[in-house]
Amino acid sequence: MSTSAVRRVVPAFVGLAALFAAWQVYVSVNDVRPQLLPSPWRVMTQGWAQRDVIATNAVATLQVTLVGFALSLTIAWLLAIAIDFSGLLRRALVPMFVTSQTIPIIVIAPLMITWFGFGLLPKILLVTLATFFPVAIGLIEGFASTDRDAGSLLRSMGASRWQQFRYVRLPNAMPRFFTALRIGITYAVVGAIFAEYAGAESGLGIYMARQKGMFRTDLVLAAMFVTAAISIVLFLLTYLVERIMAPWVRMERVNL
């Protein structure tokens, strides 16, 4: 790990350590009941004791997250490209995209369960709905922000509309796409948890709901930390994907 990376990571770890230390001291000094606020040590030990069950539910949540987000990416890319080639589609679809975000996930989740049952499909659709908008808008605005002079130059050289898209508009959209990707992947985990709260046989969402009903706040927090860890790992993986697919984006960021 480089020195600059260490400088970015160490303050975060120090801050977390201080937070957990203050939490532990507060619970110990005030003798808070674990049903209200368990200590970090209790959360860690009880979570470790339930590690197999939590891991099984985490895999179920991760499956829904990845499948739903993959579907979201596929639809977002196809529609964003179609919109970039057609002004009519832009005027017709973009307002619909915005309208879709006015529907609270917590409201539509029970309806999805009612319409499609308790299988994977309603949860995947909810993740797709929760993540589609930022990715699609990031791509649409990225394509639209292309330098007009670059497009004019390619046209003067006889480039087709598709060639202009491939060599100018697509690379230009990558910075906004990866920003939207990072937003979307965190929404994907949250969307999966909400979907499981509404109705599921397995997953971290339903696991937390069950433990909350049994007043096992320690296990609820343990599952919550696992959820946060999944979100962080997926968020960091987007930088690896960016480095592989669009290395020029990172170089531009470093040069700023």
Short mmCIF file of all heavy atoms in Angstrom, two decimals, residues 142-165:
data_model
loop_
_atom_site.label_atom_id
_atom_site.label_comp_id
_atom_site.label_asym_id
_atom_site.label_seq_id
_atom_site.Cartn_x
_atom_site.Cartn_y
_atom_site.Cartn_z
N GLY A 142 -23.35 12.23 -19.10
CA GLY A 142 -21.98 12.05 -19.56
C GLY A 142 -21.87 12.11 -21.07
O GLY A 142 -20.98 12.77 -21.62
N PHE A 143 -22.79 11.43 -21.76
CA PHE A 143 -22.79 11.49 -23.22
C PHE A 143 -23.05 12.91 -23.71
O PHE A 143 -22.42 13.39 -24.65
CB PHE A 143 -23.89 10.57 -23.79
CG PHE A 143 -23.66 9.11 -23.52
CD1 PHE A 143 -24.74 8.25 -23.31
CD2 PHE A 143 -22.38 8.57 -23.46
CE1 PHE A 143 -24.53 6.90 -23.08
CE2 PHE A 143 -22.16 7.22 -23.21
CZ PHE A 143 -23.25 6.38 -23.02
N ALA A 144 -24.00 13.60 -23.04
CA ALA A 144 -24.39 14.93 -23.49
C ALA A 144 -23.33 15.98 -23.24
O ALA A 144 -23.34 17.04 -23.89
CB ALA A 144 -25.69 15.35 -22.79
N SER A 145 -22.40 15.72 -22.30
CA SER A 145 -21.39 16.72 -21.96
C SER A 145 -20.16 16.68 -22.87
O SER A 145 -19.18 17.38 -22.64
CB SER A 145 -20.94 16.52 -20.50
OG SER A 145 -20.27 15.28 -20.34
N THR A 146 -20.22 15.86 -23.91
CA THR A 146 -19.09 15.74 -24.82
C THR A 146 -18.79 17.07 -25.52
O THR A 146 -19.70 17.80 -25.91
CB THR A 146 -19.38 14.66 -25.89
OG1 THR A 146 -19.64 13.42 -25.24
CG2 THR A 146 -18.21 14.50 -26.84
N ASP A 147 -17.52 17.36 -25.64
CA ASP A 147 -17.09 18.59 -26.31
C ASP A 147 -17.60 18.60 -27.76
O ASP A 147 -17.35 17.68 -28.54
CB ASP A 147 -15.56 18.65 -26.29
CG ASP A 147 -15.03 19.97 -26.87
OD1 ASP A 147 -15.85 20.86 -27.15
OD2 ASP A 147 -13.81 20.07 -27.06
N ARG A 148 -18.32 19.64 -28.11
CA ARG A 148 -18.89 19.72 -29.46
C ARG A 148 -17.81 19.83 -30.53
O ARG A 148 -17.98 19.34 -31.65
CB ARG A 148 -19.82 20.93 -29.55
CG ARG A 148 -21.08 20.80 -28.71
CD ARG A 148 -22.02 21.98 -28.92
NE ARG A 148 -23.26 21.84 -28.17
CZ ARG A 148 -24.25 22.71 -28.19
NH1 ARG A 148 -24.15 23.81 -28.96
NH2 ARG A 148 -25.34 22.50 -27.47
N ASP A 149 -16.70 20.47 -30.20
CA ASP A 149 -15.62 20.62 -31.18
C ASP A 149 -15.05 19.26 -31.57
O ASP A 149 -14.71 19.03 -32.74
CB ASP A 149 -14.51 21.51 -30.62
CG ASP A 149 -14.97 22.96 -30.49
OD1 ASP A 149 -15.93 23.33 -31.18
OD2 ASP A 149 -14.36 23.70 -29.69
N ALA A 150 -14.96 18.38 -30.58
CA ALA A 150 -14.44 17.03 -30.88
C ALA A 150 -15.39 16.30 -31.82
O ALA A 150 -14.95 15.63 -32.77
CB ALA A 150 -14.25 16.25 -29.59
N GLY A 151 -16.69 16.43 -31.56
CA GLY A 151 -17.66 15.79 -32.45
C GLY A 151 -17.63 16.39 -33.85
O GLY A 151 -17.71 15.66 -34.85
N SER A 152 -17.49 17.71 -33.92
CA SER A 152 -17.43 18.37 -35.23
C SER A 152 -16.20 17.93 -36.00
O SER A 152 -16.26 17.74 -37.23
CB SER A 152 -17.41 19.89 -35.04
OG SER A 152 -18.58 20.32 -34.39
N LEU A 153 -15.08 17.76 -35.30
CA LEU A 153 -13.85 17.31 -35.96
C LEU A 153 -14.02 15.93 -36.57
O LEU A 153 -13.63 15.69 -37.72
CB LEU A 153 -12.70 17.32 -34.95
CG LEU A 153 -11.35 16.79 -35.47
CD1 LEU A 153 -10.85 17.65 -36.63
CD2 LEU A 153 -10.32 16.74 -34.35
N LEU A 154 -14.64 15.01 -35.80
CA LEU A 154 -14.85 13.67 -36.32
C LEU A 154 -15.81 13.68 -37.51
O LEU A 154 -15.61 12.95 -38.49
CB LEU A 154 -15.39 12.75 -35.21
CG LEU A 154 -14.37 12.26 -34.18
CD1 LEU A 154 -15.05 11.36 -33.17
CD2 LEU A 154 -13.24 11.50 -34.87
N ARG A 155 -16.84 14.51 -37.44
CA ARG A 155 -17.79 14.59 -38.57
C ARG A 155 -17.09 15.11 -39.81
O ARG A 155 -17.35 14.65 -40.92
CB ARG A 155 -18.97 15.50 -38.20
CG ARG A 155 -19.99 14.84 -37.29
CD ARG A 155 -21.29 15.63 -37.26
NE ARG A 155 -21.08 16.99 -36.76
CZ ARG A 155 -21.13 17.33 -35.48
NH1 ARG A 155 -21.35 16.39 -34.56
NH2 ARG A 155 -20.94 18.59 -35.11
N SER A 156 -16.20 16.09 -39.63
CA SER A 156 -15.49 16.64 -40.78
C SER A 156 -14.56 15.61 -41.41
O SER A 156 -14.20 15.72 -42.58
CB SER A 156 -14.67 17.87 -40.35
OG SER A 156 -13.61 17.50 -39.49
N MET A 157 -14.19 14.60 -40.61
CA MET A 157 -13.32 13.53 -41.13
C MET A 157 -14.13 12.35 -41.68
O MET A 157 -13.56 11.33 -42.04
CB MET A 157 -12.39 13.05 -40.02
CG MET A 157 -11.45 14.14 -39.49
SD MET A 157 -10.53 13.63 -38.00
CE MET A 157 -9.53 12.30 -38.66
N GLY A 158 -15.46 12.51 -41.69
CA GLY A 158 -16.31 11.48 -42.28
C GLY A 158 -16.74 10.40 -41.31
O GLY A 158 -17.22 9.34 -41.74
N ALA A 159 -16.58 10.64 -40.00
CA ALA A 159 -16.96 9.62 -39.02
C ALA A 159 -18.48 9.50 -38.95
O ALA A 159 -19.21 10.50 -39.02
CB ALA A 159 -16.40 9.99 -37.65
N SER A 160 -18.95 8.28 -38.78
CA SER A 160 -20.39 8.05 -38.63
C SER A 160 -20.83 8.43 -37.22
O SER A 160 -20.00 8.67 -36.33
CB SER A 160 -20.71 6.57 -38.89
OG SER A 160 -20.11 5.76 -37.89
N ARG A 161 -22.13 8.46 -37.02
CA ARG A 161 -22.67 8.78 -35.68
C ARG A 161 -22.20 7.75 -34.66
O ARG A 161 -21.88 8.10 -33.52
CB ARG A 161 -24.20 8.81 -35.74
CG ARG A 161 -24.87 9.17 -34.41
CD ARG A 161 -24.57 10.58 -33.99
NE ARG A 161 -25.29 10.96 -32.79
CZ ARG A 161 -24.92 10.67 -31.55
NH1 ARG A 161 -23.81 9.97 -31.35
NH2 ARG A 161 -25.63 11.06 -30.51
N TRP A 162 -22.16 6.49 -35.06
CA TRP A 162 -21.70 5.45 -34.14
C TRP A 162 -20.22 5.61 -33.82
O TRP A 162 -19.80 5.41 -32.67
CB TRP A 162 -21.97 4.08 -34.74
CG TRP A 162 -21.42 2.96 -33.88
CD1 TRP A 162 -20.35 2.18 -34.15
CD2 TRP A 162 -21.90 2.54 -32.60
NE1 TRP A 162 -20.12 1.29 -33.12
CE2 TRP A 162 -21.08 1.51 -32.15
CE3 TRP A 162 -22.96 2.96 -31.80
CZ2 TRP A 162 -21.26 0.86 -30.94
CZ3 TRP A 162 -23.16 2.33 -30.57
CH2 TRP A 162 -22.32 1.29 -30.16
N GLN A 163 -19.42 5.96 -34.82
CA GLN A 163 -17.99 6.18 -34.57
C GLN A 163 -17.75 7.37 -33.64
O GLN A 163 -16.87 7.31 -32.78
CB GLN A 163 -17.26 6.38 -35.90
CG GLN A 163 -17.14 5.12 -36.73
CD GLN A 163 -16.56 5.38 -38.11
OE1 GLN A 163 -16.85 6.42 -38.74
NE2 GLN A 163 -15.74 4.45 -38.58
N GLN A 164 -18.54 8.42 -33.80
CA GLN A 164 -18.44 9.55 -32.87
C GLN A 164 -18.77 9.11 -31.44
O GLN A 164 -18.11 9.50 -30.48
CB GLN A 164 -19.40 10.66 -33.30
CG GLN A 164 -19.08 11.30 -34.64
CD GLN A 164 -20.18 12.25 -35.07
OE1 GLN A 164 -20.63 13.07 -34.27
NE2 GLN A 164 -20.61 12.14 -36.31
N PHE A 165 -19.80 8.27 -31.33
CA PHE A 165 -20.20 7.78 -30.01
C PHE A 165 -19.09 6.93 -29.40
O PHE A 165 -18.73 7.10 -28.23
CB PHE A 165 -21.49 6.97 -30.13
CG PHE A 165 -21.92 6.33 -28.84
CD1 PHE A 165 -22.66 7.04 -27.91
CD2 PHE A 165 -21.58 5.01 -28.55
CE1 PHE A 165 -23.04 6.46 -26.71
CE2 PHE A 165 -21.96 4.42 -27.36
CZ PHE A 165 -22.70 5.14 -26.44
#
